[in-house]
Amino acid sequence: MALIVQKYGGTSVGSVERIQAVAQRVYNTVKAGNSLVVVVSAMGKTTDGLVKLANEISPNPNRREMDMLLSTGEQVTIALLSMALQELGQPAISMTGAQVGIVTEAEHSRARILHIETTRLTRHIDAGKVVVVAGFQGTSSAGEMEITTLGRGGSDTSAVAIAAALQANFCEIYTDVPGILTTDPRLVAEAQLMDAITCNEMLELASLGAKVLHPRAVEIARNYGVPLVVRSSWTDAPGTWVTSAKPQGRSLINLEIARPVDAVEFDTDQAKVALLRVPDKPGVAARLFGEISRQKVDVDLIIQSVHEGNSNDIAFTVTTPILKRAEAVAAAIAPALRSQSNPKSDEAEVMVEHNIAKVSIAGAGMIGRPGVAAKMFATLAEAGVNIQMISTSEVKVSCVVNATECDRAVNALRSAFEIEAGGQGAGSRGELLTPNSSLLTPHSPPPVRGVALDLNQARLAIRQLPDRPGMAAKLFGLLAQHNISVDMIIQSQRCRVIDGVPRRDIAFTVSRIDGESAKKMLTQVAAELEWGEVVLDSAIAKVSIVGAGMVGQPGVAAKMFEALAEHQINIQMIATSEIKISCVVAQEQGVKALQVIHAAFGLAGSEKFVVPA
Ligand code: ADP
Ligand code: ASP
Ligand code: MG
């Protein structure tokens, strides 16, 4: 007999008939000898409807009142599902988040779970009842017991957190698609179902726009080793397992906020090659990385951003032994990137830096917590370490620094994040932690597992920041104070001396809803901090590929860039981490970009998915 947590999303409980179908599935699972906690979302598009009502009354509703309003949606479903179960003769009881004792931070509309009381849940389970719990909500602990919500899509997080707290055998997420697909089937009907994906890959996909799972649900599954599966509410097909390495024991206190970082890593065997001032037009990155991959040069980080005068800098890191080859490729390509009619001497300049090191913080607990990266930058600034390149992912923030400063950087980071020397985080390649793992022996997955599109981002650029330790710390510290999460961060490679001070541009992406306020806030401090202009572009799309197998596969980036170039899609920004490559393109080209990349990696199947409304 197993203890199972099942979660049913909005569409799956969208009508009385669907609630009855869910009740039947729950009943069958109990009859098969299992105990069950069922977490449900609000019916259909109820939450969207409530948001709309609020917006008709206030353009900027009070966040406490919003939580009061939105939490009602789930409360309807729990009562109805409980009744439907009772009609089938199955004892059941509904409970709100507060009744269970899902204790969260007092942060309205995006609260993190601190602790889940299991006493009441366990008592009802032991009495043979199915407990039906309202997803997406909790209660703040301190004094007033305010109702909080976890953020849109947060019922997944409720379910996985309850599974962790109860040490359930596994957690099943039932939804309107057959599992996790190579991309959103609403945008690419030929998307294919995966039978398994690692937590780290899913964390990236979820954060980069694949809304099939709430990213924080994946964080919890990874940190607590909760076996997790996404399945269809309409069929009995097995769905997709999200696999994780066996985690070290972790306390259930401060469930979502303890230890966002569990390792400090470094690599001193790195060198950087940059091509400065290359034309800002489709095909440039494709050409460079196409040649690099033909020469079998494996690049690590790649960054590219647009700067004044509409030219780009592209930089990448390689391991020292292959630097000569990488440099030769860049030098061979550079002449072709200069304008033929009127070549200027400073176009397509190749710049090489030998003595660099990459230092990283790694862990699952950084999503939506801008303070973690900010703390890394502040720690480096305090240690007097200048940051040359920044690469961010959901599970890692890496900074390229001067090699001579690596030891100092690592020591400072270890002490700031309380990491013992040699302490390792959970492995990036998930071992298979599923109830029947023998069925899921990995059959060397393709390098790219999935493609995601995020149309809700905006890009901010700050011109001419003084190039000295502490600038990134200042900037991202300010954003963190305003609770603004930053995704891609790119510092320009070219450095200009203005008023005797070397300066660089820095560009980054934020959620579109944070764009205007971030711009306003940064503009206010720009003069005081000797920054230049702050520029906002909201009409962007970010398209990303994710896969743990792309490590050590030289041609992956080239293939992505070539697919975009072939369709005349200009790349505005590139940022990579070990297991993802993201490109910013114009908003109106986002869907097309997703489709051509999905096709280029051969991810399309012959079967087409029709997603129920
Ligand atoms: P629920 O209400 O069950 O939580 P959601 O709407 O939150 O469902 O998430 C399911 C939706 O996620 C699917 O209908 C699909 O359009 C979208 N989606 C985006 N990317 C993916 C992907 N890679 N795999 C599966 N579904 C995806
Ligand atoms: N009902 C909430 C929402 O629509 C939570 C959820 O469904 O996960 O965002
Ligand atoms: Mg959802």
Side-chain angles (χ1 to χ4, degrees):
M1 176 168 140
L3 173 60
I4 305 170
V5 176
Q6 294 187 336
K7 178 258 169 178
Y8 292 89
T11 317
S12 311
V13 292
S15 64
V16 164
E17 293 70 30
R18 284 183 176 172
I19 289 176
Q20 286 167 330
V22 166
Q24 190 63 52
R25 187 187 287 268
V26 171
Y27 178 77
N28 296 345
T29 314
V30 174
K31 282 289 159 278
N34 304 293
S35 299
L36 234 65
V37 173
V38 181
V39 175
V40 287
S41 291
M43 291 173 69
K45 302 223 173 291
T46 300
T47 314
D48 289 339
L50 294 171
V51 170
K52 195 160 163 279
L53 280 178
N55 286 336
E56 281 171 22
I57 290 182
S58 161
N60 190 14
N62 177 288
R63 292 197 6 229
R64 176 188 184 277
E65 303 310 332
M66 256 337 243
D67 279 359
M68 197 61 105
L69 178 69
L70 298 194
S71 61
T72 61
E74 279 47 30
Q75 202 169 328
V76 171
T77 325
I78 53 172
L80 293 176
L81 178 58
S82 203
M83 290 174 200
L85 283 164
Q86 290 161 2
E87 282 302 306
L88 294 175
Q90 171 59 48
I93 180 168
S94 63
M95 290 171 92
T96 64
Q99 285 175 311
V100 170
I102 300 181
V103 180
T104 72
E105 302 170 308
E107 185 74 49
H108 287 293
S109 82
R110 51 171 172 240
R112 285 175 181 272
I113 298 172
L114 299 176
H115 177 66
I116 297 183
E117 279 300 326
T118 52
T119 337
R120 219 170 147 184
L121 283 175
T122 314
R123 184 157 39 89
H124 290 301
I125 295 168
D126 290 347
K129 281 180 241 173
V130 168
V131 189
V132 184
V133 179
F136 167 65
Q137 56 174 261
T139 171
S140 70
S141 60
E144 309 268 293
M145 304 270 283
E146 291 284 352
I147 291 179
T148 53
T149 66
L150 310 183
R152 296 301 308 270
S155 293
D156 299 335
T157 295
S158 308
V160 181
I162 290 172
L166 289 172
Q167 293 176 323
N169 296 76
F170 52 94
C171 179
E172 297 179 314
I173 305 286
Y174 284 95
T175 185
D176 57 7
V177 283
I180 298 162
L181 305 170
T182 48
T183 192
D184 189 341
R186 289 176 205 270
L187 302 176
V188 183
E190 299 80 11
Q192 267 184 305
L193 182 66
M194 302 181 222
D195 59 0
I197 184 168
T198 65
C199 265
N200 280 0
E201 290 171 317
M202 193 57 220
L203 258 179
E204 298 287 354
L205 273 183
S207 310
L208 293 166
K211 79 168 201 178
V212 61
L213 275 179
H214 197 232
R216 283 163 47 194
V218 189
E219 265 182 358
I220 300 170
R222 178 190 188 268
N223 286 342
Y224 291 92
V226 178
L228 178 65
V229 63
V230 179
R231 303 180 62 184
S232 164
S233 285
W234 331 120
T235 71
D236 286 323
T240 308
W241 282 95
V242 184
T243 62
S244 50
K246 192 142 195 66
Q248 293 143 359
R250 203 183 239 269
S251 155
L252 286 160
I253 305 292
N254 286 341
L255 198 135
E256 274 200 273
I257 64 166
R259 285 179 73 82
V261 172
D262 49 31
V264 172
E265 297 165 359
F266 63 94
D267 181 356
T268 47
D269 198 20
Q270 294 247 319
K272 178 172 84 178
V273 180
L275 261 171
L276 307 188
R277 293 173 291 271
V278 297
D280 179 29
K281 63 177 192 214
V284 173
R287 201 146 159 191
L288 175 62
F289 290 98
E291 192 52 34
I292 282 178
S293 95
R294 274 186 290 282
Q295 301 297 327
K296 305 253 176 315
V297 173
D298 188 20
V299 299
D300 182 13
L301 304 179
I302 303 174
I303 62 171
Q304 181 226 285
S305 188
V306 184
H307 299 291
E308 332 99 281
N310 278 344
S311 69
N312 289 332
D313 297 340
I314 302 182
F316 56 93
T317 61
V318 292
T319 57
T320 317
I322 54 171
L323 171 64
K324 279 275 162 279
R325 250 183 21 242
E327 188 184 352
V329 176
I333 287 208
L337 298 178
R338 296 184 185 128
S339 41
Q340 299 308 320
S341 51
N342 178 22
K344 284 189 243 110
S345 60
D346 68 348
E347 277 178 335
E349 178 194 343
V350 180
M351 190 177 83
V352 175
E353 189 128 13
H354 298 266
N355 299 315
I356 61 163
K358 184 173 74 172
V359 294
S360 315
I361 54 171
M366 306 198 230
I367 294 171
R369 293 178 70 190
V372 180
K375 179 168 168 182
M376 177 185 198
F377 304 147
T379 305
L380 293 177
E382 267 161 44
V385 175
N386 201 24
I387 302 169
Q388 300 186 16
M389 271 167 98
I390 299 171
S391 145
T392 57
S393 79
E394 300 320 318
V395 289
K396 199 172 264 195
V397 182
S398 302
C399 295
V400 169
V401 302
N402 195 304
T404 56
E405 297 179 333
C406 181
D407 283 352
R408 209 162 75 237
V410 169
N411 289 335
L413 291 171
R414 282 196 177 133
S415 89
F417 290 102
E418 296 170 21
I419 306 290
E420 282 164 34
Q424 281 299 313
S428 64
R429 279 158 215 267
E431 283 138 38
L432 297 165
L433 197 74
T434 66
N436 48 357
S437 53
S438 59
L439 296 176
L440 291 170
T441 314
H443 29 265
S444 62
V448 175
R449 305 298 311 283
V451 189
L453 177 67
D454 190 342
L455 292 169
N456 291 311
Q457 296 251 312
R459 183 184 62 197
L460 276 153
I462 301 177
R463 304 279 186 226
Q464 296 158 7
L465 268 87
D467 184 27
R468 56 178 175 245
M471 273 303 155
K474 186 85 216 164
L475 170 57
F476 296 105
L478 277 168
L479 291 164
Q481 270 169 30
H482 290 79
N483 224 323
I484 297 173
S485 285
V486 171
D487 184 27
M488 294 163 97
I489 305 175
I490 298 179
Q491 274 180 296
S492 67
Q493 297 307 303
R494 73 183 78 158
C495 188
R496 287 210 308 176
V497 179
I498 299 170
D499 302 333
V501 183
R503 292 165 187 276
R504 292 179 198 276
D505 298 346
I506 193 160
F508 51 92
T509 58
V510 298
S511 276
R512 174 135 348 115
I513 45 166
D514 290 330
E516 283 295 344
S517 58
K519 180 182 173 189
K520 205 163 136 215
M521 185 267 292
L522 295 172
T523 306
Q524 274 164 7
V525 297
E528 187 193 326
L529 294 169
E530 302 169 58
W531 296 348
E533 191 190 358
V534 181
V535 188
L536 173 68
D537 181 358
S538 292
I540 63 161
K542 186 175 65 182
V543 52
S544 311
I545 57 176
V546 173
M550 67 172 78
V551 182
Q553 290 266 354
V556 174
K559 196 183 246 182
M560 178 177 189
F561 304 153
E562 276 157 8
L564 293 173
E566 219 173 275
H567 292 83
Q568 291 298 311
I569 298 173
N570 195 30
I571 305 172
Q572 301 179 6
M573 274 169 101
I574 303 170
T576 68
S577 73
E578 272 112 345
I579 66 167
K580 74 143 189 247
I581 303 174
S582 298
C583 294
V584 168
V585 301
Q587 171 122 62
E588 71 271 12
Q589 291 180 312
V591 173
K592 178 89 194 163
L594 175 79
Q595 290 165 342
V596 302
I597 291 169
H598 189 265
F601 284 98
L603 296 174
S606 47
E607 205 183 323
K608 290 200 177 202
F609 278 108
V610 182
V611 187

